[in-house]
Amino acid sequence: MHPTRPTIALLTGLLVLLLAVLVSSLGGAAGLPVAGTAKALLDKLPFVDLRTGLGPVQLSVLDQIRLPRVVLATLVGALLAQAGAAYQGVFRNPLSDSGTIGASAGAGMAATLVIVYGGGPEHTVAGIGAVPLAAFVGALGGVLASYVLGTFVGRGGTASLILAGVAVSSFVGAVQAFVMQRSTADVRQVYSWLFGSFAAADWSLVRLALPYAVISVLIVTVHARHLDVLALGDDEAATLGLHPVRTRVIVLAAASLATATAVAVSGIIGFVGLVVPHVVRRVAGPGHRLLLPMSLLVGGAFLVLADLLARTVLAPAELPIGVVTSFVGAPFFLVILRATRERDR
């Protein structure tokens, strides 16, 4: 790869994300001027002081309603996309994603249990929010169960892991439905988790997600080169001085933390971690040192635009964002599945 190509690719990804943020900030019932909104967004940057020309009401709409929603969608999209790229690198499986290997379902079920039986989203454990903590444990448990079932029951391989993930997700979904049936008072709150939504987005949710997001992104990014080495095979990786099992555990824990964080603040949003890394890989190549940061940028842009569609296509009603991503992701999944089967023949 030419040495300037990664820089150009990252700058292009950043430009796409910034345009998506601007377009999404403009979309909604209250009209905002393009130039004033762009200046208001730039004014948020350090050492920048611009006269936006927006009135107090327009500034309030932007700062208190649209911007927290856009920022949260960016954060969740970036986390899900990078987690998907990390799962695919760890399992060397193009169909691996938080939705296909049980991570999202496990996080959703654990969050449901906390909402129904554990005191709700306000409850904390040692100063940590009970919902994100439970979602992390659930995500990790879902991935572990899928991996163990796929390896020891299904005898490994691409299809076995995915089928095990489907089985785990189905079982967890059944448990979740059982819990919801027993507690109808919390059904509406739980349903918002199942289909994903940013309708309740505010700055407190952004502040809640940010520390976990930074930790998970840093850990996965630091292991980018190790994921490239894992792609060579465990024996080759060990020969090069890498401990394959330890690396997998660390990256899986970090990716599951990213998934849990996303689920905790937005609910279950499928296919982002499947679609985005594949699209990015077509442009940036298979190397994780460029694939991971590009997935962050493109994943954020993808979910911001998906959220814009979710809240405007049937306005004033709002679609669950999981419906929008499924319209894109489900056909994409079939295309990848077909390509994978032909490759494995």
Side-chain angles (χ1 to χ4, degrees), residues 125-148:
V125 177
I128 301 174
V131 170
L133 188 61
F136 171 64
V137 174
L140 209 55
V143 174
L144 184 62
S146 300
Y147 182 71
V148 170

Side-chain angles (χ1 to χ4, degrees), residues 262-341:
V263 172
V265 297
S266 66
I268 299 175
I269 301 173
F271 295 108
V272 179
L274 182 72
V275 173
V276 173
H278 276 279
V279 173
V280 170
R281 200 174 283 114
R282 296 276 183 181
V283 178
H288 288 84
R289 279 175 286 187
L290 183 57
L291 176 65
L292 292 176
M294 282 291 292
S295 294
L296 280 173
L297 296 171
V298 179
F302 173 73
L303 205 56
V304 164
L305 294 177
D307 180 53
L308 176 63
L309 282 176
R311 60 188 164 90
T312 57
V313 72
L314 293 179
E318 182 172 323
L319 278 173
I321 191 169
V323 173
V324 178
T325 58
S326 294
F327 273 127
V328 178
F332 199 88
F333 179 83
L334 293 176
V335 170
I336 299 172
L337 181 62
R338 180 181 174 86
T340 304
R341 290 191 62 182

Side-chain angles (χ1 to χ4, degrees), residues 17 24 34 42 80 105 112 118 126 153 161 199 213 218 231 233 251 269 277 285 322 331 336:
L17 175 59
S24 187
V34 177
L42 291 173
L80 290 176
T112 299
V153 179
L161 177 64
L218 282 178
V251 176
I269 301 173
I336 299 172

Side-chain angles (χ1 to χ4, degrees), residues 40-104:
L41 293 176
L42 291 173
D43 191 53
K44 308 296 180 190
L45 299 175
F47 312 112
V48 177
D49 185 16
L50 296 174
R51 295 176 63 87
T52 65
L54 298 181
V57 175
Q58 291 174 318
L59 279 174
S60 179
V61 169
L62 180 64
D63 290 342
Q64 302 303 321
I65 298 176
R66 294 194 188 165
L67 206 49
R69 182 166 184 151
V70 169
V71 171
L72 194 65
T74 302
L75 198 58
V76 170
L79 289 175
L80 290 176
Q82 194 189 52
Y87 286 134
Q88 290 164 19
V90 166
F91 292 119
R92 289 179 294 186
N93 185 327
L95 295 172
S96 298
D97 167 42
S98 57
T100 59
I101 60 173
S104 291

Side-chain angles (χ1 to χ4, degrees), residues 205-296:
L205 282 179
V206 175
R207 287 192 290 270
L208 172 68
L210 202 54
Y212 306 105
V214 170
I215 293 171
S216 60
V217 166
L218 282 178
I219 294 174
V220 171
T221 302
V222 164
H223 287 81
R225 191 179 67 82
H226 295 166
L227 288 173
D228 289 340
V229 176
L230 277 180
L232 301 174
D234 284 8
D235 293 339
E236 289 78 1
T239 303
L240 293 172
L242 184 70
H243 195 301
V245 175
R246 184 170 60 201
T247 302
R248 281 197 176 91
V249 170
I250 293 172
V251 176
L252 280 179
S256 297
L257 177 61
T259 300
T261 303
V263 172
V265 297
S266 66
I268 299 175
I269 301 173
F271 295 108
V272 179
L274 182 72
V275 173
V276 173
H278 276 279
V279 173
V280 170
R281 200 174 283 114
R282 296 276 183 181
V283 178
H288 288 84
R289 279 175 286 187
L290 183 57
L291 176 65
L292 292 176
M294 282 291 292
S295 294
L296 280 173

